[in-house]
Structure formats: C-alpha cells, structure tokens
Amino acid sequence: MNKNHFPSWFRQFAKTTLVMACAVHSGQAVGHEKAAVIDGWVGTWAASPQASGDTFNAQTLRQIVRTSIGGSVVRVEVSNQFGSQPLRIANVRIALRGNGSSIVSGTDRAITFGGSTQITLPVGTRLTSDPIQFQVPAFGDVAISMYLPGATGPATAHQTGQQTNYIAPGDVGSSVNLSSVGTTGSYYFLTNLDVQNPQALGSVVTLGASITDGVGSNFNGNDRWPNVLAKRLLQQGIQVGVLNQGISGNRSLADGAGLSAEHRFDSDVLAQPGVRWVIYSDDPINDLMASPQPTATQLIDVLKRLIAKAHQNQIKFFCSTLTPYEGTTGWTSSQEQARQQFNGFVRSAASGCDAVIDQDTATHDPAKPTWFLPAFDTGDHLHPNVAGLAAIAHAVDLGLFTAPPSTPLPPVQPPSECGALSPGQGLTRGQSLVSCDGRFSLTLQNDGNLVLYHGSTPLFATGTVGSTAAEVLFQQDGNLVEYDSAGQVLWQTRTAGQGGAMFYLQNDGNLVIYDSAGSPLWASNTVTPMAP
C-alpha cells in the first residue's frame, strides 16, 4: 500500500468514523493490583438473563441485590433480551435495603439513562444507566426499584433467584414502605449492578448451572457457593467482584434453560465489567443427563473452545471438575464413565486450564467416590446442600486472584509503513507510529504510557503511566494489547476474534481498528479537524 494513501474502503469509512465510533467499544486496562478497567467499572452483582412467560403492567418491581464488593459510584443494566415487544421502564431507583420490602429512609436515589427517567428498550437489547454517586456496601443488600408503566409482554428474567423480590401496584419506587405487595423468587429485567472501586482487582464470573445458581442453598440466605467465595475474598482483603452467572438446568451443548454456556459466553462472561477470571462449573452434568447422552469428547471440545476464547480476551479460565451424582434419578454408568473422562482431562496438563477447582474431590464420599458425602447431600444426590456449597467455595485457592503471573512477552515487529499496524506489528518503549501526513504520533513512552499526540498536544492515552509497559502489539486476532515486562496485559481494545483486521492512525487524528470488511471495530474518538 502506498504510504500516502489508504485503500478506497478505508477512505470511505474514515469520513464517517466519528459517528460510527460511538457504537464501538473502548479499551480496557487489566493489571495486578490496579483497577481492572480504565474507567473503573467492576461488576459487584449479576444475574444471567433467560426467557420467561411472566408479564407486568403498571407495577413497580423492587428487587434485592446482595453485593460482593463495595463502591462509591454505581450503575445498573436492564435487559429486554428475551422480550417480544419494546419494553418501557420508568422511575428506576436505588436505595439501601431495610427490612422486607422497605428501604432505608434517606438513601433513595434516582437512576437515569442518557439523562432520562424513562426509556424504551427494543427487543433483544440491554441498556446501562448513567453513573451516580451512591455508597454501595460490600456483601450488603441494595434495593433496586423500577416502574413498568404498560404491558411488558413476556419478561426477560432470571428464574431461580433464591431471593424474595417484591411487586407493588402503581409507581411507588420512591416509597420507603410498599403496600399491597406481592412476592416472587425471580429477578426481572435487571442483569447487572456495577461499581467504581479504586482497590478492585477485577471481577470473576462463575459460569454454571443449578449448583452455581444456588439450588440447595437457603432461600434469602445468600449462601450459594459464589456468595461464600465473595465473603472469603473480602475477609482476606481481596477486592474482587463475584458475578454469579449460573442458570438452573443450563447446558454447554444446547440451548434450553437459557442459552447454552457457549452461546452466552460473550455476553455473560466477556462483556462483564472488569472481568479477569472465569470459573466454569457444572453445565456438563446437565449435558450428560440429556438424551441422547453426549460423549466426553464433545464436552471437552466445548471446554477447549471456551478456554481459547477466554485467552483471546486475556481472561484466566479456571476449570472445575464435575461433582458426583450417582443415586439421582436418571444416573447411568455410561454417564459416570464420561464424567470421569471429563474430570481426567480437566486435571491433566494438556487441558489448557489456568487452574482447576476440584469440586469433585471437595464433595465426594471417599468411601464411595461416585456419591456425594452424605453430609453434603441435599437428598436428591445431585445438588450439594449449604455445607457442600461451602466446600466448593473453599476449594477455590484465593491466591489465584492475587499472585502476579509471569508469561513470555510475545514477539513484536516494528511498523512497516506510516499510519498503520498490520497483525504482528507494534511498538516497544520509545517507539512511535506517525500518521502519513506527519501531524499525529502514537508513542509508547518511557514512563509506560501509550499516548496519541497532535504535535505536542495529547489526544488519547491508555492511563498506564508508571507501569512497566514493554510493548504494544497488534495481534493476529485483531486485538491491540499493551503488555508489561512480565507479559501481563495492561490495556487492550478487546477486539479479539477478528482475523484480517487492520489498525490505522488516520490523517484526521483518529485511531481506528477495521475488520476485514472495512467496518470499524474500535476507535479512540479523537478526530481533529485541520486548521483553516
């Protein structure tokens, strides 16, 4: 390519980049003992959405959320992912929970979306609120209320909430006490509560089925194994958000009770705020109990694909062995054989897992390894009780979240032309990429910060000043990543999975990653008009 010209498709898209960049995502910084994202957002609670037949009309929902970590700024996400019609939501509010359906007087705050107190969500969409100042307690209860002014149609829900939530007639979200209250054990339309916490290292997603979702735990007890893990982390002063993305009945190979683990991995894991780790738990048990029964190889192949996708996004993948379930209705020796094969692979050096959470060893009866230890069995021989759930949580090594790993730095080639990086090219400390008109430069500075300049005026930076940044690499998968000297990710554009992509420092001052078809995937939003 001539260094003074860009391809025709590039010139066409460059003209509209400022508009389209609003729809693409910004880079995120990940690093040991630093906030997990540049903008500071980390998830403290989540519930994976699924379809339901429940409907609402002119009612207020007040839903109780048990947090993992605290924070001083908050935002929520609402979803119409599985709706059949546009969803109207109004008067969304957040407060500290009092007793029952009441809130603590004086703590109630309004939540807006793009400055508005009323929104309409198209079918299949989610929406994140504006941030507000609000002191979120660690491992405490927050009440989130929303008014549904019209008929909702079938609600997007999380069915096994294991928590009493409240339904009241009319627009009463700001009321301290609710009257004529109905109750439900599910969550509706609410998928995320995020916080800003400068001490947060990131979030861990627990991806699984009913054992993760909390079947076997006490209703309103907040003693699911992810809750117990969150409490253990807090007791050790480790600020990591724990996001429970379990769905009862979920499988890895087929949709049904929610989308399959593979089909929801992008939204329920990769898209979670501040995610740095994922623990993959009990989905394959439901696969094994389905008809026809899949082979262990099929389950292992899904696991391999999930591991690869996590690693492409610089997320550590912790595998779990499958708990025993002999004695439950439908158990067969063929299922047991496949379970053992799956567990054997997970424990092997060839698995690709970054760590293993040995739920099997933590819960089985040493005298009868294909059965639960009686003290851990709810009685259905499939779900562990509260003691068994605690045993699973205690099988997680907390050092996994604090030990700074060290990996070799990937090789990086210098830019071969002005204003562009091809896959495999990048910058080392002190190097710059210069736009073809010479007005703009992208420099990996000696202080560790990657900065875009217009002459001497900074337009964009990764915020990694003071780090041991060693290189910036435009990877073969389309992700632009800044690595420290230990090979750990400091910042990235999160555009992995886009082979054939290209990175450009345009003559208008915008940094843009385009996919192989010429559509923008990420932009720095730094278009700078030329002086008249």
Side-chain angles (χ1 to χ4, degrees):
M1 185 177 72
N2 187 304
K3 70 178 183 178
N4 295 313
H5 297 85
F6 295 113
S8 59
W9 61 260
F10 174 82
R11 293 195 300 271
Q12 175 186 353
F13 278 99
K15 295 176 183 178
T16 55
T17 295
L18 181 61
V19 174
M20 291 187 293
C22 295
V24 295
H25 47 80
S26 300
Q28 297 185 340
V30 180
H32 175 61
E33 294 183 353
K34 295 181 181 178
V37 289
I38 282 180
D39 62 8
W41 290 111
V42 180
T44 185
W45 176 89
S48 186
Q50 55 190 135
S52 82
D54 298 330
T55 62
F56 301 90
N57 192 351
Q59 293 166 296
T60 292
L61 296 176
R62 178 165 288 173
Q63 303 183 86
I64 309 303
V65 165
R66 174 56 61 95
T67 65
S68 51
I69 60 172
S72 57
V73 181
V74 66
R75 69 184 185 186
V76 302
E77 183 182 77
V78 292
S79 173
N80 192 26
Q81 183 175 350
F82 295 99
S84 61
Q85 65 186 52
L87 172 68
R88 294 166 58 205
I89 299 178
N91 195 22
V92 180
R93 312 191 71 85
I94 187 168
L96 297 179
R97 191 255 188 104
N99 295 314
S101 65
S102 70
I103 58 175
V104 177
S105 180
T107 66
D108 176 56
R109 294 289 309 280
I111 292 176
T112 58
F113 295 79
S116 177
T117 58
Q118 299 191 42
I119 54 171
T120 299
L121 273 70
V123 172
T125 63
R126 301 184 183 192
L127 186 64
T128 301
S129 75
D130 303 324
I132 63 167
Q133 296 286 330
F134 183 86
Q135 199 64 43
V136 176
F139 210 73
D141 284 344
V142 171
I144 299 171
S145 303
M146 65 180 71
Y147 178 55
L148 306 167
T152 62
T156 295
H158 183 79
Q159 295 178 4
T160 308
Q162 291 295 94
Q163 170 68 53
T164 300
N165 293 313
Y166 303 94
I167 309 167
D171 184 3
V172 293
S174 59
S175 300
V176 172
N177 299 298
L178 302 180
S179 58
S180 303
V181 175
T183 62
T184 175
S186 300
Y187 289 96
Y188 296 99
F189 310 115
L190 180 66
T191 58
N192 287 82
L193 178 67
D194 308 328
V195 297
Q196 290 190 353
N197 179 331
Q199 280 70 52
L201 302 181
S203 60
V204 55
V205 173
T206 60
L207 182 69
S210 55
I211 294 175
T212 302
D213 206 7
V215 172
S217 66
N218 289 315
F219 202 84
N220 292 327
N222 295 300
D223 44 20
R224 312 164 190 86
W225 74 258
N227 293 128
V228 179
L229 174 60
K231 183 176 279 189
R232 290 186 63 216
L233 287 163
L234 286 171
Q235 288 171 341
Q236 295 300 313
I238 303 170
Q239 296 287 325
V240 170
V242 180
L243 305 179
N244 188 338
Q245 299 287 43
I247 298 180
S248 295
N250 200 233
R251 294 163 61 183
S252 65
L253 289 169
D255 298 340
L259 299 177
S260 71
E262 187 164 26
H263 288 164
R264 64 190 179 99
F265 194 79
D266 284 7
S267 60
D268 289 2
V269 178
L270 302 184
Q272 295 304 305
V275 60
R276 289 185 60 197
W277 309 273
V278 57
I279 300 175
Y280 180 54
S281 187
D282 49 314
D283 273 40
I285 295 175
N286 289 325
D287 289 296
L288 289 174
M289 297 181 70
S291 181
Q293 177 197 319
T295 64
T297 298
Q298 289 175 296
L299 299 178
I300 289 168
D301 285 345
V302 172
L303 177 66
K304 289 178 177 178
R305 291 194 293 271
L306 295 183
I307 292 172
K309 182 170 279 192
H311 288 171
Q312 286 171 358
N313 287 273
Q314 287 71 51
I315 295 170
K316 294 292 186 182
F317 196 102
F318 302 155
C319 304
S320 295
T321 54
L322 304 179
T323 52
Y325 61 97
E326 184 173 354
T328 196
T329 303
W331 177 91
T332 66
S333 58
S334 175
Q335 294 173 25
E336 178 60 30
Q337 182 180 11
R339 184 183 77 92
Q340 296 286 359
Q341 290 172 342
F342 182 89
N343 286 354
F345 175 79
V346 165
R347 293 182 177 116
S348 73
S351 69
C353 306
D354 294 300
V356 176
I357 315 302
D358 201 343
Q359 297 190 20
D360 175 31
T361 299
T363 58
H364 74 225
D365 185 343
K368 295 191 300 180
T370 59
W371 293 72
F372 271 130
L373 191 71
F376 292 164
D377 195 342
T378 57
D380 68 1
H381 311 304
L382 178 63
H383 297 100
N385 59 20
V386 170
L389 294 170
I392 289 173
H394 282 270
V396 180
D397 178 5
L398 300 188
L400 295 172
F401 306 102
T402 59
S406 180
T407 56
L409 278 168
V412 58
Q413 299 297 320
S416 57
E417 55 185 313
C418 64
L421 293 177
S422 299
Q425 295 181 348
L427 307 171
T428 56
R429 273 194 180 231
Q431 289 187 333
S432 299
L433 175 70
V434 180
S435 63
C436 290
D437 65 359
R439 295 194 305 141
F440 303 94
S441 61
L442 180 66
T443 302
L444 181 57
Q445 299 180 160
N446 288 324
D447 64 2
N449 210 11
L450 179 67
V451 185
L452 171 65
Y453 287 98
H454 178 207
S456 60
T457 302
L459 302 177
F460 168 87
T462 57
T464 50
V465 62
S467 69
T468 61
E471 66 182 37
V472 176
L473 173 65
F474 186 55
Q475 300 182 156
Q476 298 290 338
D477 61 6
N479 203 14
L480 183 72
V481 184
E482 183 177 4
Y483 289 97
D484 69 12
S485 58
Q488 300 308 297
V489 175
L490 291 170
W491 176 89
Q492 59 179 309
T493 54
R494 290 200 179 277
T495 48
Q498 298 289 336
M502 285 289 292
F503 175 87
Y504 290 99
L505 168 50
Q506 301 178 172
N507 287 342
D508 62 3
N510 212 11
L511 302 173
V512 188
I513 296 175
Y514 291 95
D515 67 16
S516 57
S519 297
L521 300 169
W522 176 91
S524 59
N525 300 330
T526 50
V527 171
T528 304
M530 293 187 67

